[in-house]
Amino acid sequence: MCNIKHICIVFFVTISTVAQSKFESFLTPSDTLNLPRRNAVIISESSTMGLSLLGLNQLWYVDYPRSKFHTLNDADEWLQMDKVGHVFSSYQIGRAGANILNWSGVSKKNQLVYGSTLGFTFLTAVEVFDGFSEEWGFSWSDMAANAAGTGLYVGQELLWEEQRITLKYSFHQTKYAPQRPDKLGEGFIEEMLKDYNGQTYWLSANVHSFFKESQIPKWLNVAIGYGAEGMLTGKSETVNNLIISHQRKRQFYLSLDVDLSRIETKSHVLKTIFEVFNVIKVPFPTLELDDRGVLKVHPVYF
């Protein structure tokens, strides 16, 4: 005989199934232009960008003197790790912008024109803020990096109508951040954003997409990474004599990776989760070669 416990179980399973079904329907991209979705996307993106710039101004720029608009040549700082970071940010924001317009049923052309350029537009606004700050300045090399990230996304869509090569990120804590927490961050979250010594940026190429008829798993990627270490300042200069004991060097990596977006599933919930986490390089055994010719083997690198 059915008791209250069983009735509750059936009730909650039913509610959960209905809720999951509605969520799946919500995440499913529209085949045609969905005006309510598109309008919601425009309003949400505009509001988010506006609030982000306002918050950035209050948290980052308000404590530094304003100046006349000026430029800054910082192309040779941080062994170009900051520039690669700009390429990555522009690419990923543009990718997200195009994907969310695809969810709204917007045409492919408009996805590229209005979605994939979102990262370039936002980062250009940040660069203008830099131009009016006495502490920094408008950087043409940053702008070139932003354009490269957007171009990487748009170029692949025009050439292949898919992203065969994606940009990814990985991070590990280093000994350098505790020596300059004001510059390189204090604590894991800050260090992820500020400590270039622990950051690695990857070009992750999907093998199967280049060999469509092969039996290679569709999710398998080969990744080439770039990193650097030994940096306590933007340039090789002394800060309380700390930099003397460190040698700045570039590092190049070769590894395998997983393209999470190519894992087959009918669940749009899982597809969305895979798409979000696909910005992170999956840890694998890795070869490292630095600019001095020293070769290292990492059993697992992140």
Side-chain angles (χ1 to χ4, degrees):
M1 185 175 180
C2 184
N3 56 28
I4 294 296
K5 179 181 178 181
H6 293 147
I7 293 175
C8 288
I9 291 174
V10 172
F11 175 77
F12 284 117
V13 168
T14 303
I15 292 296
S16 176
T17 302
V18 172
Q20 184 177 1
S21 177
K22 289 184 177 180
F23 196 44
E24 279 283 341
S25 177
F26 174 76
L27 291 176
T28 303
S30 178
D31 294 330
T32 57
L33 179 61
N34 187 313
L35 288 176
R37 285 189 179 186
R38 187 203 63 182
N39 294 339
V41 167
I42 293 173
I43 294 171
S44 299
E45 287 184 348
S46 300
S47 301
T48 300
M49 287 182 67
L51 291 173
S52 297
L53 291 173
L54 180 63
L56 186 64
N57 180 64
Q58 293 300 312
L59 294 173
W60 193 265
Y61 296 101
V62 74
D63 294 329
Y64 298 95
R66 302 291 186 181
S67 69
K68 291 183 179 179
F69 186 82
H70 64 287
T71 61
L72 172 71
N73 182 8
D74 60 349
D76 60 344
E77 294 191 356
W78 302 111
L79 296 179
Q80 290 76 53
M81 283 297 293
D82 55 330
K83 307 310 172 192
V84 182
H86 274 266
V87 176
F88 172 82
S89 298
S90 181
Y91 174 86
Q92 291 297 350
I93 297 174
R95 182 180 67 88
N99 284 345
I100 199 169
L101 285 181
N102 177 61
W103 170 78
S104 306
V106 172
S107 68
K108 191 70 174 181
K109 176 183 176 181
N110 286 336
Q111 288 176 37
L112 295 180
V113 172
Y114 301 109
S116 61
T117 57
L118 186 64
F120 182 80
T121 302
F122 177 77
L123 293 173
T124 297
V126 174
E127 209 59 48
V128 172
F129 277 17
D130 282 351
F132 285 103
S133 174
E134 191 174 290
E135 182 75 10
W136 295 280
F138 184 94
S139 170
W140 284 110
S141 55
D142 283 353
M143 289 297 295
N146 298 338
T150 299
L152 179 62
Y153 182 88
V154 174
Q156 291 187 83
E157 290 298 321
L158 294 176
L159 181 61
W160 297 315
E161 296 186 347
E162 64 176 343
Q163 295 297 298
R164 296 185 180 185
I165 303 172
T166 59
L167 279 172
K168 294 196 176 188
Y169 167 89
S170 64
F171 175 78
H172 59 272
Q173 288 185 293
T174 72
K175 63 183 180 182
Y176 302 101
Q179 299 179 53
R180 297 232 35 218
D182 59 318
K183 197 75 172 179
L184 303 178
E186 186 172 8
F188 187 78
I189 300 300
E190 278 194 12
E191 291 170 27
M192 280 183 64
L193 301 173
K194 295 183 177 182
D195 186 6
Y196 294 120
N197 299 283
Q199 298 175 3
T200 307
Y201 293 97
W202 303 84
L203 277 174
S204 183
N206 182 256
V207 182
H208 184 272
S209 64
F210 289 97
F211 305 97
K212 297 287 189 180
E213 304 302 320
S214 70
Q215 298 300 313
I216 299 172
K218 294 181 179 180
W219 45 262
L220 181 64
N221 282 21
V222 173
I224 299 173
Y226 175 67
E229 68 173 29
M231 301 176 292
L232 293 175
T233 63
K235 296 182 180 179
S236 185
E237 58 190 33
T238 59
V239 178
N240 297 326
N241 294 321
L242 289 175
I243 197 66
I244 295 176
S245 61
H246 298 297
Q247 293 183 328
R248 296 152 65 91
K249 63 179 180 180
R250 304 176 190 275
Q251 299 153 312
F252 305 93
Y253 301 91
L254 179 63
S255 183
L256 296 177
D257 188 29
V258 175
D259 188 338
L260 299 177
S261 68
R262 294 179 185 269
I263 296 177
E264 295 184 1
T265 175
K266 294 181 179 179
S267 169
H268 285 282
V269 175
L270 286 177
K271 286 181 180 179
T272 302
I273 293 173
F274 290 157
E275 195 70 38
V276 169
F277 284 97
N278 206 39
V279 303
I280 305 298
K281 162 74 168 64
V282 177
F284 266 103
T286 300
L287 292 177
E288 174 194 331
L289 179 67
D290 66 28
D291 58 7
R292 296 176 178 82
V294 178
L295 181 66
K296 295 181 181 178
V297 178
H298 299 274
V300 177
Y301 180 86
F302 192 71

